[in-house]
Amino acid sequence: MDNRVDQITDKHECQCGHSDNIEGLSDRVDQIIDKHNCEASSLIQVLLEIQSENHWLPKEALDQVAERLQVPLTRIQQIATFYKAFSLVPKGRHGIHVCMGTACHVRGAQRVLDTVENLTKIKPGETDLDLKFSLETVNCLGCCALGPVVEIDGKTHGKMAPAEMADVLKNYE
Amino acid sequence: MERINSANELEALRKSILSSRDTNKPCITICSGSACHASGSKEVASRIEEEIANQGLSGTVDVRKTGCHGFCEKGPIIVIHPEKICYFQIKPEDVSEIVTETIIGKKIIERLLYTDPATNEKIVYESEIPFYKNQERLVFGSNGSIDPKNLDDYLAIGGYSALAKALFQMTPGQVVEEVKKSNLRGRGGGGFPAGSKWEGSRNAPGDIKYVIVNADEGDPGAYMDRSLLEGNPHSVLEGLTIGAYAVGSHEGYIYVRQEYPLAVENVTTAIKQAQEYGLLGKNILGSGFDFTVKVHMGAGAFVCGESTALMTALEGRAGEPRPKYIRSNVKGLWNRPSVLNNVETWSNVPLIINNGADWFTKLGTESSKGTKIFSVVGKINNTGLVEVPMGMTLRDIIYKIGGGIPGGKKFKAVQTGGPSGGCLPEELLDLQVGFDELTKAGSMMGSGGMIVLDEDTCMVDVARYFLEFLTDESCGKCVPCREGIRQMLQTLTKITQGKGKEGDIELLEELAETAREAALCALGKSAPNPFLSTLKYFRNEYEAHIKEKRCPALSCKELIAFYIDPKKCQACTTCARKCPSNAIIGGKNLIHMVDQEKCTKCGTCFEVCPPRFSAVKKISGEPVPDPIPEEARIIVRGGKKNE
């Protein structure tokens, strides 16, 4: 874990009413686990649902999952770090996903990614200190005809060029 | 809906659905696959529904949101039935005119039709468009005509008749024999005969057996499985249920990436509907056969496409593969016999059962039967999903269906098989596609990714790209994969940065050989393929990078530079305004220059420079010319220019 991530976590815990959120999350985690009949084999599904609702996996939620599913915390951490869908640090308000599929790659996705990195000052997998943007790369968004493709908060921006990236990012506060 | 309790009731329902549908009633089908969604098909669909209501046509015109039509380059696509008039790249503002002119006035709107680039003629009907007419869309064809959320649509085209036939007219053994006779080979990459896999599970000891759909896909640039599951989920469920009956399984799983939300949504809806109709669950169609299916979302890891890793993930653990001393069809999920096939493989099953193995084997080559869906993408005019009979040549797929290379560029290679595959050069364009044919040429079928590359693509960089992908996706369990591929990536990266040295190619070959021999699973064993195939056919590019520090394709960032030709620059300022890093020096009447220190090599200046000037040059392997003196950069407008 790099320094940037440590800073983000600290900032989040002290400025965002973290403990209140966790209390609310705790009930929801229970509901998700109950929905899956408390089966240990549903571990990944449970984590996916928590991630989907909360956008990241706080340590308290992982402890709760471990206790209720009777799965060692180390195994949960192994899974949470193995799959790219999970994040152990808070995410930014806006999720930028740059498609790095082969079709996008040969049409210049790397140049688009370089530009996003320059503009946001973060690398794939990172979140900026203001918790504004989180940057991820994805393998294929299934929109190869529109490559290079960038998805921001679920909205697809097709046929992107480096020059257009700055204009697009300006629209996000 | 009351459940269906027999094959006769199923046929009666089918007849009732068909008789309730007026084939002459206008129906607008709109592509609602992921790619068309991204192009705005949701907005178009909403506008169509509004317009129909506004023009008082509710009840007289049907609107059907279908799965992917395949021709993604031209999305959003609509087809107006019963005439099958095809309109492309529809915008919400076109909708009013479409309803007024075509639906009510029965007139064709010329500007929305497909224009054949070869003849410049407008084509009205889908079946006459070269992209479609040269295909054989057996598995994928229904995607564009049915609503994936409406089981009645699937029943209307004969859906679940193969399941009824299997349950009431065939024994499980006969089903296995029919699939074996068809020589259906796995469409997910391995090409293993499905019938043999089923037979192994059927004969394996144990009462509890599983059937599984691999909908993880994950190949960069391939999206056919996702589109099939999004657009025709019942065909996959029907094939899966037939497979379950054949091997004696009562429990199935669909392992689908959470990155494919529409596929998850549509298949979940399909399962619910099939249960309500009695096509899944207890006593299916009154046959006494029980079968349930669960959707299991994958958290996005390429290695989970490997059978043992996928099953480990299904068990709720990190998806790492294991050695296959005992095959998964004998000892798989929870150590029980488990048949794993991919989406497209399962979708072929109803066709085989309905039409027979002899019908199926009439299509294809000696060892590859049936059709295959390819994701034809990259530097090609008609990007999209294409289903062709096995044995069609690469040239026909790329030129007859794909429409060739855009911008008058030269074809360089086609990459097939995803990260496990390889690149095939121009001299192999007449190769027939098939499992063994592609493998012999140094590539593979894979799940059907077909990425077309033009003269601007660096083949060393393509190999580096795939190695980077695989390094990232390796589970890290075995050393040859975890360390070997990483070393290959580092060496390839150095070569693309101009830091390659004599002996690097030999080192890469040695690492490739070791990974092939010693890696645990197919990911590691096939990882060297992109490197080996590019080296085999494009060795000169590797040597140019290493010996001359030159990228022949003018692609590798560290080996190229952008330079503005002072004799051609007209100081139009286009490049200066578009440059994202403010690296262009110059003003309105001042010849521009690229500040090489600031330049990030993004290529924007090269792309935006007006063709009538073509002042920006890409150079590699040569020094950037010295800047001209300040006084010579001034342009005097009104006839006189700097000399």
Side-chain angles (χ1 to χ4, degrees), chain B residues 107-316:
Chain B
K107 289 179 200 152
I108 304 292
I109 305 168
E110 291 263 321
R111 69 183 163 80
L112 299 177
L113 295 173
Y114 176 79
T115 308
D116 189 334
T119 61
N120 224 22
E121 276 178 29
K122 298 279 184 185
I123 300 178
V124 178
Y125 306 108
E126 188 181 270
S127 58
E128 293 170 6
I129 295 169
F131 177 82
Y132 290 112
K133 83 173 177 191
N134 291 305
Q135 295 188 46
E136 187 85 53
R137 303 205 307 160
L138 302 177
V139 177
F140 202 63
S142 305
N143 247 44
S145 61
I146 62 174
D147 176 353
K149 290 191 171 72
N150 187 349
L151 176 52
D152 284 1
D153 277 4
Y154 186 62
L155 293 178
I157 59 161
Y160 288 102
S161 56
L163 175 63
K165 183 180 175 184
L167 291 176
F168 295 104
Q169 297 175 34
M170 299 170 84
T171 63
Q174 285 172 328
V175 175
V176 171
E177 280 308 312
E178 200 66 21
V179 176
K180 270 179 76 180
K181 201 174 148 195
S182 74
N183 198 14
L184 171 66
R185 295 175 67 174
R187 269 35 177 174
F192 192 81
S196 300
K197 193 186 275 187
W198 292 20
E199 188 176 48
S201 263
R202 180 173 151 69
N203 294 336
D207 293 332
I208 300 175
K209 295 171 183 179
Y210 301 106
V211 283
I212 304 162
V213 180
N214 180 355
D216 191 60
E217 205 157 53
D219 264 21
Y223 58 108
M224 67 291 291
D225 286 345
R226 160 192 195 150
S227 288
L228 197 51
L229 201 58
E230 283 174 2
N232 198 352
H234 284 290
S235 72
V236 185
L237 286 177
E238 186 180 6
L240 185 71
T241 312
I242 292 169
Y245 170 70
V247 303
S249 163
H250 301 286
E251 205 174 322
Y253 289 90
I254 297 175
Y255 185 90
V256 53
R257 269 180 189 238
Q258 56 92 32
E259 289 169 34
Y260 304 165
L262 192 58
V264 173
E265 182 186 329
N266 288 0
V267 77
T268 305
T269 305
I271 289 170
K272 194 163 169 278
Q273 288 174 345
Q275 282 169 340
E276 285 168 8
Y277 277 66
L279 297 161
L280 275 178
K282 293 265 180 208
N283 193 21
I284 293 172
L285 290 173
S287 65
F289 176 63
D290 303 334
F291 180 61
T292 56
V293 182
K294 283 182 190 162
V295 174
H296 186 108
M297 279 193 284
F302 182 66
V303 73
C304 286
E306 205 278 339
S307 62
T308 57
L310 189 150
M311 290 178 199
T312 310
L314 269 178
E315 291 168 6

Side-chain angles (χ1 to χ4, degrees), chain B residues 568-583:
Chain B
K568 291 187 174 179
C569 179
Q570 294 298 310
C572 70
T573 72
T574 307
C575 62
R577 280 182 280 120
K578 292 280 183 183
C579 175
S581 52
N582 297 318

Side-chain angles (χ1 to χ4, degrees), chain A residues 36-37 39-45 48-49 51-52 71 75 78-80 82-86 99-108 110-112 114-115 118-119 137-147 149 151 155-167, chain B residues 34-35 38-39 72-73 218-223 226 255 257-260 294-301 303-304 313-320 334 375 377-380 383 451-453 457 461-462 464-466 468-469 472-473 475 557 578 580 600-604 607:
Chain A
H36 289 278
N37 301 322
E39 287 172 6
S41 61
S42 300
L43 173 59
I44 296 173
Q45 306 299 287
L48 274 173
E49 284 191 38
Q51 171 78 41
S52 167
V71 174
R75 195 172 128 200
Q78 184 200 8
I79 286 169
F82 182 84
Y83 293 105
K84 284 190 182 147
F86 301 123
C99 182
M100 300 302 286
T102 324
C104 286
H105 177 77
V106 300
R107 289 181 175 196
Q110 186 61 50
R111 295 185 300 141
V112 174
D114 289 346
T115 309
N118 283 340
L119 292 167
T137 54
V138 290
N139 295 332
C140 186
L141 287 168
C143 311
C144 303
L146 303 176
V149 178
E151 193 183 86
K155 180 175 167 49
T156 305
H157 302 267
K159 300 194 173 169
M160 286 305 295
E164 290 160 20
M165 214 50 244
D167 291 338
Chain B
S34 289
S39 307
C72 306
E73 186 71 39
D219 264 21
Y223 58 108
R226 160 192 195 150
Y255 185 90
R257 269 180 189 238
Q258 56 92 32
E259 289 169 34
Y260 304 165
K294 283 182 190 162
V295 174
H296 186 108
M297 279 193 284
V303 73
C304 286
L314 269 178
E315 291 168 6
R317 293 184 282 139
E320 292 176 355
W334 288 297
S375 162
V377 300
K379 304 286 188 71
I380 190 155
T383 302
I451 291 96
V452 180
L453 312 172
T457 314
D461 180 61
V462 167
R464 186 207 56 78
Y465 163 79
F466 282 113
E468 185 178 41
F469 172 83
D472 206 30
E473 294 290 340
C475 75
K557 208 165 90 169
K578 292 280 183 183
T600 59
K601 318 269 181 79
C602 73
T604 299
E607 281 161 13

